[in-house]
Amino acid sequence: MNLVRFGVSIPEELLEKFDRIIEEKGYANRSEAIRDLIRDFIVRHEWEVGNEEVAGTITMVYNHDEADVVKELLDLQHEYLDEIVASLHVHMDEHNCLEVVVVKGEAKKIKKIADRLLSLKGVKHGKLVMTTTGKELV
């Protein structure tokens, strides 16, 4: 892998804030932090374009007593067997559960799956966390 040096002009105050944050996060130097920012930018672009194979997690908290939420969650997961890789179920208390669904596939389809799961009645909160399969990332 060839490394390339490039210059960036930014306001001094912005650089000072950036340096404080990278120190807090434990980066060895600015280059490492900038590489991570560029990788994140590329991953977000993969999700926006929608053609790339992507990976992620759909995390949900729901009340298992609410209507047919458990049945609907399971039915939807079975509907997308090719995209849903695994799931983790945690009992938070006597009524609430945490479910983490690991997904992999075309970005547009993964977003659709997340929208369907997160919009179910009984799901109190949820979020799609998007990442990459790593195949195209340096």
Side-chain angles (χ1 to χ4, degrees):
M1 171 181 12
N2 293 334
L3 292 180
V4 177
R5 289 184 171 269
F6 67 95
V8 177
S9 298
I10 60 173
E12 184 177 355
E13 184 178 313
L14 184 60
L15 182 60
E16 288 170 359
K17 287 181 179 181
F18 184 67
D19 285 342
R20 280 195 303 272
I21 293 169
I22 64 174
E23 185 178 336
E24 284 174 20
K25 292 188 172 280
Y27 281 98
N29 52 53
R30 287 181 188 150
S31 293
E32 288 296 323
I34 290 170
R35 278 191 282 272
D36 275 356
L37 290 171
I38 292 171
R39 287 183 190 113
D40 186 59
F41 184 77
I42 291 168
V43 168
R44 281 188 282 124
H45 180 71
E46 287 176 357
W47 278 85
E48 290 168 7
V49 171
N51 320 358
E52 303 290 329
E53 182 181 59
V54 296
T57 59
I58 304 166
T59 303
M60 301 165 280
V61 174
Y62 62 90
N63 180 342
H64 73 259
D65 297 324
E66 182 87 30
D68 293 327
V69 68
V70 174
K71 181 184 180 323
E72 291 180 40
L73 282 169
L74 289 174
D75 288 348
L76 272 172
Q77 290 182 45
H78 283 101
E79 192 175 323
Y80 295 102
L81 290 174
D82 292 336
E83 291 78 23
I84 295 180
V85 178
S87 66
L88 169 69
H89 182 90
V90 179
H91 302 282
M92 303 299 285
D93 58 35
E94 57 275 355
H95 302 286
N96 295 294
C97 297
L98 170 74
E99 186 119 359
V100 180
V101 178
V102 180
V103 289
K104 183 174 90 169
E106 184 182 306
K108 288 179 185 176
K109 194 161 192 182
I110 300 302
K111 287 180 195 175
K112 179 181 176 182
I113 295 167
D115 288 345
R116 290 187 67 193
L117 287 170
L118 298 175
S119 66
L120 289 173
K121 184 175 181 177
V123 174
K124 293 180 169 184
H125 181 260
K127 187 170 189 167
L128 169 62
V129 176
M130 303 172 289
T131 189
T132 178
T133 61
K135 292 178 186 175
E136 304 297 323
L137 214 53
V138 179

